[in-house]
Amino acid sequence: MIGLLYKDMIYMKKMWKTVILFAVFFIVFSFVQSNTISAMSFISIMIGGNFSMLPFSYDNYSKWNEYQYAFPVSKKTVVCSRYLFGLVLFGICLLLNVVGLLLVQIEILLFTRPYAPITIQYVSAEILPLFFIPIMQAISFPLMYRFGAEKGRLYVICAIAVIIAIVMSVMKIWGGEIITYSSVLITLASMAVVLYVLSMLLSICIEKKKVQ
C-alpha cells in the first residue's frame, strides 16, 4: 500500500507549477484582502478538490489500470491506498490553513491591524470549509471508479453542483437561526467520516466487480 501511495504522491510533483501559481495567488490576495485565512481556505479547497482526482487521470493516461493487478496487490488494497492518499491530501490542506492562520497573526503584529480575538468559534469558522474536501472525495471517488476518469469527472461536477444548491437552500432556511460554528464543525466532521467510510466500501465493491 505504501508503494501505491508513493505513486500517487509522485503524480503531485507533476503539478508543481500549479502549486506555485496557487501560492503566488495566495500571497497577492493576502495584500488586498485583510482576511488572509479565508483566502487560504478557498485555495486549500481548490487544491484538495483538483488534486484528489489527479491520480485517476494519470492512471488513465499511463494505462496503469490495465496492468496494476499483474502485481501481487489486491483490489481492496488499491482502493484503500487511494483513500489514504485523499486523507494525506486533506492533511496537507489543513496544514496550509494553519500556516495561513499564523501568517494572519504575523501580519497583525507587523501592521497593527484590528482583528477579532482568536476563539474556538473563530478557528472553527476558518477550518470548517476544509471538511468539504473529504466530502468531495467521498462523492467523487466511487464515481471515478465506476465511470472512469473522463466520464466520472462530469458526474462529479454535476453531483457537487447539486450539493452546493442543497447547502445554499439549507443556509437560507437557517438564516435566522443562531448556530455556533463549533457545533457545525463537529457535525460536518462527523458527516465526513461516515461518508468517507461508506464511500470506501462502495468503491471496493465497484472495483471488485470489474473484469480485468
Side-chain angles (χ1 to χ4, degrees):
M1 182 180 295
I2 300 300
L4 293 170
L5 176 62
Y6 181 69
K7 172 185 69 68
D8 290 344
M9 297 299 293
I10 289 177
Y11 287 151
M12 293 182 62
K13 293 182 179 180
K14 297 180 180 292
M15 299 294 290
W16 64 272
K17 292 182 180 180
T18 303
V19 176
I20 292 178
L21 180 63
F22 276 123
V24 171
F25 175 79
F26 165 63
I27 293 172
V28 173
F29 198 85
S30 65
F31 283 104
V32 298
Q33 173 72 16
S34 58
N35 198 352
T36 308
I37 185 63
S38 294
M40 198 64 227
S41 297
F42 173 76
I43 295 172
S44 296
I45 292 175
M46 292 287 291
I47 293 176
N50 286 282
F51 280 28
S52 294
M53 293 183 285
L54 186 67
F56 290 96
S57 297
Y58 276 104
D59 282 352
N60 182 53
Y61 295 148
S62 64
K63 306 298 181 182
W64 169 257
N65 295 327
E66 296 181 3
Y67 60 84
Q68 63 177 334
Y69 293 118
F71 299 97
V73 59
S74 66
K75 294 182 178 181
K76 180 179 179 180
T77 301
V78 170
V79 173
C80 289
S81 68
R82 184 58 48 83
Y83 278 82
L84 180 58
F85 168 78
L87 289 178
V88 170
L89 186 58
F90 170 66
I92 293 174
C93 292
L94 187 61
L95 180 60
L96 286 176
N97 258 59
V98 173
V99 171
L101 181 60
L102 293 176
L103 288 177
V104 169
Q105 300 308 308
I106 294 174
E107 183 183 17
I108 290 171
L109 292 175
L110 293 178
F111 299 100
T112 61
R113 292 184 177 181
Y115 73 103
I118 296 180
T119 61
I120 295 178
Q121 294 298 318
Y122 172 73
V123 175
S124 298
E126 300 300 341
I127 294 180
L128 189 151
L130 293 183
F131 283 89
F132 282 102
I133 295 176
I135 291 177
M136 286 190 295
Q137 292 172 348
I139 296 171
S140 62
F141 284 5
L143 292 174
M144 301 293 276
Y145 275 113
R146 175 63 180 84
F147 299 104
E150 299 301 327
K151 190 176 180 180
R153 191 182 297 271
L154 297 177
Y155 285 104
V156 169
I157 294 174
C158 294
I160 292 177
V162 171
I163 291 174
I164 292 176
I166 294 174
V167 171
M168 295 299 293
S169 300
V170 172
M171 289 179 65
K172 288 181 179 180
I173 295 174
W174 287 355
E177 299 292 333
I178 299 177
I179 55 176
T180 60
Y181 285 111
S182 58
S183 61
V184 176
L185 176 62
I186 294 173
T187 302
L188 193 61
S190 302
M191 183 186 304
V193 171
V194 173
L195 287 177
Y196 212 75
V197 173
L198 294 177
S199 174
M200 183 174 64
L201 296 175
L202 177 59
S203 294
I204 292 174
C205 291
I206 292 173
E207 189 69 5
K208 284 184 176 180
K209 291 181 179 179
K210 290 182 179 179
V211 178
Q212 302 295 333

